[in-house]
Amino acid sequence: MSTFRFFFIAISTLICACCKPNSGKDAMVYLNEENKAAESVYVDFLSEQIDQHPEGEDKYLKLAEIYRQKGDESAALDLLKKGERENPENIDLLLAMAAIHLKNENVPELAKSLAAIRKLDADHIDFLKLSAGYSLLLRDYTNAIYFANRAMLVNAFDDEIMNLRGRALLINKDSISALHSFEEAYALNNAPKNFSTVFDLAIELRDLESAKKYLDDFGSKHNQLRLCYENGRYFHLANRPDTAIYILNQCLENGNQEPGIYLELAKLYLQDNALDLANDAINTYLEINNKNVEGLVIKARTLEKFNNYQEAISIYKQAIQIDSTSRLALGGLENLERKVAYLQLIKRKENVQRQVEIMKPLNSKDIN
């Protein structure tokens, strides 16, 4: 288990007059829905311990993880930096900071953290996994696969490593091998992240059978989760657009905040030539993910349908700046530029023909 991912135990016994939380490593707590009432008690206690005894990394790690669970990663990062100042070169603090930088895709700060960790333990499995993730951010296949393979030598049964390896293979356009890695990751651990990667790739490969298999399996093991977004994508792939649109709109009506719903709806509406609806959906999606290449391509295609060719070309070029290898963006731009060139040629011919008609002498005969 990685040293910077903490799995907390229940702390219902903390709310009592005769006891306080232990600050040792055996007292990690998971602040789930059932014990949120204890959260303020534990946060106050850890904050007090840090003020009174700033040495030692455990208190910083625990409190930072509580902040992360609450979604306050800025507070978590500030706390970890404070802990590092008190505990220079502590690898657990560095790993925890690097994990936040990776999640936030903060490449410069992640690079600094990894450089510091490398000096302490270049073979640490979490360093290897973070380095693979860093390479993925840079779309550096060679180093991503190198660090993932090195991590596999340490633990060949780590689903996170399998997932990283699959993502590296995708950068190299090896979709079939990537699918196998994602399938292995899911077999080791049917966690939501592993389901998402294997299901997403099955959808992308238009592998209806695999998509259905993993959708049913994950749904049966996590029946408390509402998989309306995933079901909508499945029915889209199964060529049942009306069902897909209905399910996805039900997602939104029920408060589902998954941004991909808007992307999927935009594709469905565009396919149905409902351009206003497609435009609204893709604009909403791009407000959330303005650097998503597929979203930009759908926006460009929608603009094409509106005959707004120059803006569509601009959007395609924006997508290519983000990913110069995107076949969707490159192909879309090439086709549209060819179409625009053809239309310009037709327009020039029409202009020349009009000039000829204007310049013809009265009562002249047509020249064959």
Side-chain angles (χ1 to χ4, degrees), residues 20-23 29 31 38-67 70 72 75-76 78-79 82-83 86:
K20 280 189 175 182
N22 188 334
S23 62
V29 295
L31 298 169
E39 182 176 329
S40 61
V41 174
Y42 205 72
V43 168
D44 290 344
F45 172 76
L46 287 173
S47 299
E48 180 183 331
Q49 288 293 301
I50 288 171
D51 290 339
Q52 293 178 358
H53 307 285
E55 71 284 352
E57 77 279 5
D58 297 346
K59 300 178 289 293
Y60 297 96
L61 292 167
K62 294 174 192 176
L63 187 53
E65 183 60 24
I66 292 173
Y67 287 144
K70 291 169 64 177
D72 193 349
D78 288 343
L79 187 66
K82 180 179 178 181
E86 296 293 338

Side-chain angles (χ1 to χ4, degrees), residues 279-299:
N279 194 51
D280 289 343
I282 198 59
N283 284 343
T284 301
Y285 177 75
L286 289 174
E287 286 174 5
I288 305 167
N289 293 295
N290 62 0
K291 292 186 178 180
N292 181 275
V293 172
E294 186 181 12
L296 290 168
V297 168
I298 297 300
K299 174 65 177 178

Side-chain angles (χ1 to χ4, degrees), residues 73 97-111 133-134 136-138 167 289 291 322:
E73 293 191 336
M97 283 191 287
I100 294 176
H101 293 319
L102 178 60
K103 182 180 178 184
N104 294 336
E105 299 186 3
N106 188 334
V107 172
E109 290 301 317
L110 177 56
Y134 171 74
L136 287 172
L137 285 181
L138 300 179
R167 289 163 61 196
N289 293 295
K291 292 186 178 180
I322 296 169

Side-chain angles (χ1 to χ4, degrees), residues 8 34 37 71 138 145 161 169 214 227 253 274 290 319 334 361 368:
F8 295 124
E34 296 177 357
L138 300 179
I145 203 72
I161 298 170
L169 290 164
Y214 286 108
L227 301 175
E253 289 178 16
N290 62 0
E334 182 181 352
N368 293 324

Side-chain angles (χ1 to χ4, degrees), residues 305-325:
K305 292 278 190 176
F306 280 116
N307 297 327
N308 193 341
Y309 300 135
Q310 292 307 315
E311 189 176 351
I313 287 173
S314 176
I315 297 294
Y316 276 129
K317 288 180 177 178
Q318 186 180 336
I320 292 168
Q321 283 184 335
I322 296 169
D323 181 4
S324 61
T325 67

Side-chain angles (χ1 to χ4, degrees), residues 302-359:
T302 304
L303 289 167
E304 277 190 69
K305 292 278 190 176
F306 280 116
N307 297 327
N308 193 341
Y309 300 135
Q310 292 307 315
E311 189 176 351
I313 287 173
S314 176
I315 297 294
Y316 276 129
K317 288 180 177 178
Q318 186 180 336
I320 292 168
Q321 283 184 335
I322 296 169
D323 181 4
S324 61
T325 67
S326 171
R327 294 177 184 174
L328 287 175
L330 290 167
L333 178 61
E334 182 181 352
N335 290 336
L336 181 53
E337 287 182 330
R338 189 183 300 118
K339 179 179 180 179
V340 169
Y342 174 75
L343 292 173
Q344 288 174 342
L345 177 61
I346 296 297
K347 188 174 181 179
R348 282 198 297 271
K349 287 183 176 180
E350 290 174 349
N351 287 337
V352 170
Q353 185 62 38
R354 279 197 296 270
Q355 290 297 322
V356 169
E357 293 294 330
I358 292 171
M359 295 173 66

